[in-house]
């Protein structure tokens, strides 16, 4: 990376000596307005970090039903956005655009198209996806391209994210080759498990000409329409959210059916670790927690623990480690591994001073909800299951827990373990993707370790890590330095935003050279 391009000022915020980039960041979620997981966090924090580096950034995102422009005091753009849904300019729908500003001058543009977005939920309910998701996100991708072309001047980078905006590079290159000649089209994979796969009959919803219907670029071998696959083939550059995951997705085991497509683009793939926004996720400034604290005032963490134990009806026992889980309840997240492992560990306890307490915050389908409710019923003094989505509860658990468990089968990056470390909440993670890239196992690295890493995705392996964590907790002389090392790790966006910037510049240069 060429650092000579920047003059670093005292507070280490770089001063741009090169052209400021104009970036449009397209995302189906942005925290705090709409969020189902880490994409929402990244869509808020990465643009802020890029703006802090001196770039102009506009985020474009849908106006979902739960968002009220009046209450949010959004300003309405006078001109609507005309979005063609068929071929270059047919079947237009007028979308209203609303605008808001985040820190550092990041503009957020909300696209209002009620027939697609004015309903409860972003993608569906806990059990099922909406049936018209192909139409909804083909429309949104098209809106992104129209917005970039019509309203934004000289866009250097159109940064798309996940399958929801993966058709944008195809629309840009197919319909507007000249207009987008100087724009680099980037696509970030946040999670390859979600590809935007639809029945081939949904092809019409893309509005693309028939020639694409017979083209394998938009279809899987089994004949399904696949938005992400198309985007991966048309984007100029592909990134994903950790170096480890960038490698995994190019293997048959980790490629979710797209490893060959990804291998064919190997030269154009980079893994850049996500960062944390410490103005939101840090116990020194966290407005959601009872007592703010930092390394010098760790007693504050104990008070948060007692408060959470008390309010959730757990015995207030400082000597028992409190384990936490904050997660979507899915197979990816290893919830099916966690439940029997905890069940077996708690069933084997001989003494009530042994073991741990566990609080789980999660939203997901009925079968996981039922199993977790049953676990709580079986061990009422040990387990609390909080069903649902609560930003405040997520912060309170980060501050209160001693250990955060992330037993994911695979994990592109994972943010909860990164946040946990800042709160002195020591992570227990499976050795995969971004979890492996961010947590250092303390048994293997006694002086630098920041958590507990288990290798095999099995009950034995997870149970071993949980027991190691509980045993270490009971030895404060070992536990304190481990917490402090975790708290002192720096996962702020600085370094990663710098990587994106270098990549964007390199990509601009090669787009310009073509
Ligand atoms: P993913 O994006 O795969 O869900 P990440 O770890 O990257 O995983 O991000 C998860 C984000 O969603 C974090 O900000 C976490 O705090 C939040 N989160 C997950 N489940 C819940 C929940 N039930 N309530 C509140 N926040 C949640
Ligand atoms: C996805 C991944 C998660 C990642 C997040 C943000 O939802 O599952 O690992 O941290 O996106 O990039």
């Amino acid at each position: 990376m060429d650092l000579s391009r920047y003059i670093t000022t005292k507070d280490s915020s770089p001063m741009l000596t090169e052209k400021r980039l104009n970036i449009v960041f397209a995302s189906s979620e942005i925290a705090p307005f709409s969020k189902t997981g880490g994409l929402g966090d990244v869509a808020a924090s990465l643009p802020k970090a890029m703006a802090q580096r001196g770039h102009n950034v506009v985020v474009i995102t849908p106006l979902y039903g739960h968002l009220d422009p009046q209450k949010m005091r959004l300003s309405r753009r006078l001109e609507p956005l005309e979005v063609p849904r068929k071929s270059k300019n047919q079947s237009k729908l007028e979308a209203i655009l609303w605008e808001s500003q985040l820190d550092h001058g990041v503009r957020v543009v909300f696209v209002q198209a009620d027939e697609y977005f004015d309903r409860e939920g972003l993608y569906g309910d806990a059990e099922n996806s909406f049936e018209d998701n192909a139409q909804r996100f083909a429309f949104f991708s098209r809106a992104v391209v129209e917005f970039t072309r019509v309203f934004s001047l000289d866009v250097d980078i159109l940064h798309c994210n996940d399958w929801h905006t993966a058709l944008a590079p195809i629309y840009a290159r197919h319909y507007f080759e000249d207009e987008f000649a100087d724009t680099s089209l980037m696509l970030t994979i946040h999670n390859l498990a979600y590809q935007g796969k639809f029945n081939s009959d949904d092809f019409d919803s893309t509005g693309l000409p028939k020639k694409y219907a017979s083209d394998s670029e938009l279809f899987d071998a089994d004949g399904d329409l696949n938005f992400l696959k198309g985007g991966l083939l048309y984007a100029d550059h592909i990134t994903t959210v950790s170096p480890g995951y960038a490698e995994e997705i190019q293997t048959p085991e980790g490629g979710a059916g797209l490893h060959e497509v990804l291998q064919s683009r190997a030269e154009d793939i980079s893994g850049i670790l996500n960062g944390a926004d410490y103005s939101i996720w840090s116990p020194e400034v966290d407005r959601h927690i009872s007592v703010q604290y930092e390394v010098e005032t760790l007693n504050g963490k104990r008070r948060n623990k007692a408060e959470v134990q008390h309010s959730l009806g757990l015995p207030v026992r400082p000597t028992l480690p409190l384990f936490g889980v904050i997660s979507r309840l899915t197979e990816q997240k290893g919830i099916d591994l966690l439940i029997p492992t905890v069940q077996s560990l708690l069933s084997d306890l001989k003494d009530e001073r042994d073991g741990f307490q566990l609080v789980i915050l999660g939203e997901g389908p009925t079968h996981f909800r039922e199993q977790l409710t049953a676990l709580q019923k079986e061990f009422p003094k040990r387990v609390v299951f909080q069903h649902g989505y609560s930003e405040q509860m997520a912060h309170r658990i980060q501050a209160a827990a001693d250990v955060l468990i992330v037993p994911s089968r695979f994990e592109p990056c994972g943010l909860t373990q990164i946040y946990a470390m800042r709160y002195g909440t020591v992570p227990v993670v499976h050795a995969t993707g971004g979890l492996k890239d961010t947590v250092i196992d303390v048994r293997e690295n006694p002086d630098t370790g920041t958590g507990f890493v288990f290798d095999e995705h099995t009950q034995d392996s997870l149970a071993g890590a949980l027991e190691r964590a509980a045993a270490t907790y009971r030895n404060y002389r070992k536990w304190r330095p481990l917490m402090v090392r975790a708290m002192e790790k720096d996962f702020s966006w600085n370094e990663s935003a710098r990587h994106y910037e270098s990549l964007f510049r390199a990509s601009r240069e090669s787009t310009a050279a073509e």
Side-chain angles (χ1 to χ4, degrees):
M1 194 183 7
D2 182 9
L3 292 180
S4 62
R5 289 168 161 188
Y6 309 104
I7 302 164
T8 303
T9 55
K10 241 204 230 144
D11 65 0
S12 85
S13 54
M15 228 159 69
L16 231 45
T17 57
E18 275 192 274
K19 179 185 180 296
R20 175 189 300 268
L21 295 170
N22 291 324
I23 302 168
V24 172
F25 188 96
S27 172
S28 59
E29 318 188 354
I30 176 170
F33 310 108
S34 53
K35 166 171 165 184
T36 65
L39 171 61
D41 286 354
V42 173
S45 53
L46 172 56
K48 272 202 252 172
M50 295 306 283
Q52 221 169 349
R53 297 187 65 77
H55 304 295
N56 293 321
V57 193
V58 182
V59 181
I60 177 165
T61 194
L63 186 86
Y64 294 106
H66 68 277
L67 297 174
D68 180 338
Q70 266 77 38
K71 279 195 193 138
M72 292 160 67
R73 296 170 187 269
L74 302 181
S75 37
R76 182 180 169 151
R77 271 201 187 234
L78 289 180
E79 269 173 276
L81 181 70
E82 297 211 342
V83 185
R85 287 172 293 180
K86 208 169 160 32
S87 65
K88 193 165 181 174
N89 50 21
Q90 284 170 26
S91 185
K92 287 184 181 162
L93 183 80
E94 267 193 8
I96 298 171
L97 299 182
W98 298 90
E99 227 179 283
S100 171
Q101 283 235 348
L102 300 182
D103 300 349
H104 309 295
V106 173
R107 284 161 56 211
V108 185
V109 170
F110 295 89
V111 178
Q112 180 179 4
D114 290 347
E115 73 175 89
Y116 297 122
F117 302 121
D118 185 17
R119 57 181 86 172
E120 206 177 308
L122 271 56
Y123 314 119
D125 59 28
E127 316 287 334
N128 296 303
S129 302
F130 294 130
E131 285 193 355
D132 58 349
N133 274 348
Q135 286 94 305
R136 298 172 76 225
F137 290 102
F139 170 82
F140 181 56
S141 296
R142 195 64 210 264
V144 166
V145 169
E146 289 304 311
F147 171 78
T148 307
R149 189 174 89 70
V150 178
F151 287 108
S152 323
L153 294 176
D154 296 332
V155 173
D156 298 297
I157 307 292
L158 171 55
H159 188 169
C160 301
N161 292 277
D162 275 352
W163 70 268
H164 322 97
T165 47
L167 292 185
I170 308 185
Y171 294 136
R173 291 284 176 248
H174 178 78
Y175 293 123
F176 306 107
E177 186 65 45
D178 290 347
E179 282 170 76
F180 281 87
D182 292 333
T183 307
S184 293
L185 306 175
M186 316 294 297
L187 177 58
T188 295
I189 305 170
H190 294 263
N191 194 337
L192 200 59
Y194 302 93
Q195 298 180 8
K197 275 176 171 256
F198 303 100
N199 192 292
S200 58
D201 296 345
D202 274 319
F203 174 76
D204 282 349
S205 60
T206 67
L208 285 163
K210 284 274 174 293
K211 79 168 179 118
Y212 286 90
S214 52
D215 198 328
S216 63
E217 289 176 340
L218 264 177
F219 290 89
D220 286 332
D222 58 11
D224 280 345
L225 180 63
N226 187 324
F227 281 20
L228 187 65
K229 181 178 176 191
L232 293 174
L233 290 167
Y234 276 77
D236 297 320
H237 199 94
I238 298 162
T239 69
T240 188
V241 289
S242 68
Y245 194 61
E247 282 177 24
E248 288 171 17
I249 57 177
Q250 296 181 53
T251 65
E253 301 74 38
L258 291 181
H259 64 281
E260 286 175 2
V261 173
L262 288 159
Q263 282 166 8
S264 77
R265 305 266 354 236
E267 300 265 292
D268 303 312
I269 299 180
S270 320
I272 305 178
L273 201 64
N274 285 332
D277 182 342
Y278 288 135
S279 70
I280 296 173
W281 292 100
S282 174
E284 287 147 63
V285 295
D286 195 326
R287 288 175 295 109
H288 294 297
I289 64 179
S290 308
V291 184
Q292 295 174 344
Y293 64 94
E294 54 193 312
V295 171
E296 287 75 30
T297 51
L298 277 177
N299 198 37
K301 183 164 179 64
R302 287 182 208 113
R303 287 169 60 196
N304 283 295
K305 176 174 171 179
E307 185 271 320
V308 165
Q309 285 172 318
H310 177 72
S311 69
L312 297 181
L314 286 170
V316 179
R317 301 269 305 273
T319 50
L320 272 187
L322 177 64
F323 291 0
V325 173
I326 303 163
S327 182
R328 291 184 289 116
L329 304 177
T330 62
E331 307 248 313
Q332 172 198 341
K333 298 293 180 180
I335 302 301
D336 52 327
L337 179 70
L338 179 78
I339 295 169
T341 309
V342 168
Q343 206 278 342
S344 145
L345 286 173
L346 292 180
S347 306
D348 288 348
L349 287 181
K350 305 268 177 315
D351 190 315
E352 67 164 27
R353 284 168 302 184
D354 292 343
F356 52 86
Q357 295 173 333
L358 171 65
V359 49
I360 302 156
L361 171 66
E363 196 168 35
T366 319
H367 66 284
F368 282 136
R369 287 199 319 252
E370 287 174 355
Q371 290 172 39
L372 287 165
T373 307
L375 191 69
Q376 166 170 307
K377 275 211 176 113
E378 190 178 349
F379 305 102
K381 289 189 176 161
R382 297 287 184 157
V383 178
V384 172
F385 169 45
Q386 293 273 293
H387 176 249
Y389 187 90
S390 161
E391 198 65 27
Q392 190 193 24
M393 198 62 212
H395 285 255
R396 287 173 63 204
I397 294 174
Q398 288 285 15
D402 300 298
V403 168
L404 190 88
I405 317 172
V406 193
S408 310
R409 226 169 227 99
F410 65 92
E411 194 62 73
C413 176
L415 293 170
T416 56
Q417 84 284 6
I418 291 179
Y419 300 155
M421 286 188 254
R422 180 50 61 113
Y423 286 78
T425 305
V426 178
V428 168
V429 303
H430 177 218
T432 183
L435 300 176
K436 196 169 158 186
D437 287 348
T438 51
V439 181
I440 304 169
D441 184 78
V442 67
R443 180 161 61 189
E444 284 170 24
N445 305 277
D447 298 329
T448 55
T450 51
F452 302 88
V453 182
F454 63 98
D455 291 328
E456 306 298 324
H457 204 256
T458 59
Q459 281 191 44
D460 279 353
S461 190
L462 170 58
L466 295 178
E467 283 176 330
R468 275 204 288 143
T472 314
Y473 174 80
R474 290 182 165 85
N475 181 345
Y476 197 63
R477 278 206 317 221
K478 283 193 176 160
W479 190 254
R480 190 175 193 284
L482 175 58
M483 282 171 91
V484 171
R485 275 199 301 272
M487 290 175 89
E488 287 176 345
K489 276 269 154 191
D490 182 7
F491 291 100
S492 58
W493 269 104
N494 300 347
E495 196 53 30
S496 298
R498 227 183 276 222
H499 273 106
Y500 274 104
E501 182 178 296
S502 306
L503 182 69
F504 287 176
R505 290 207 189 280
S507 176
R508 287 272 310 114
E509 278 156 24
S510 64
T511 310
E514 270 167 21

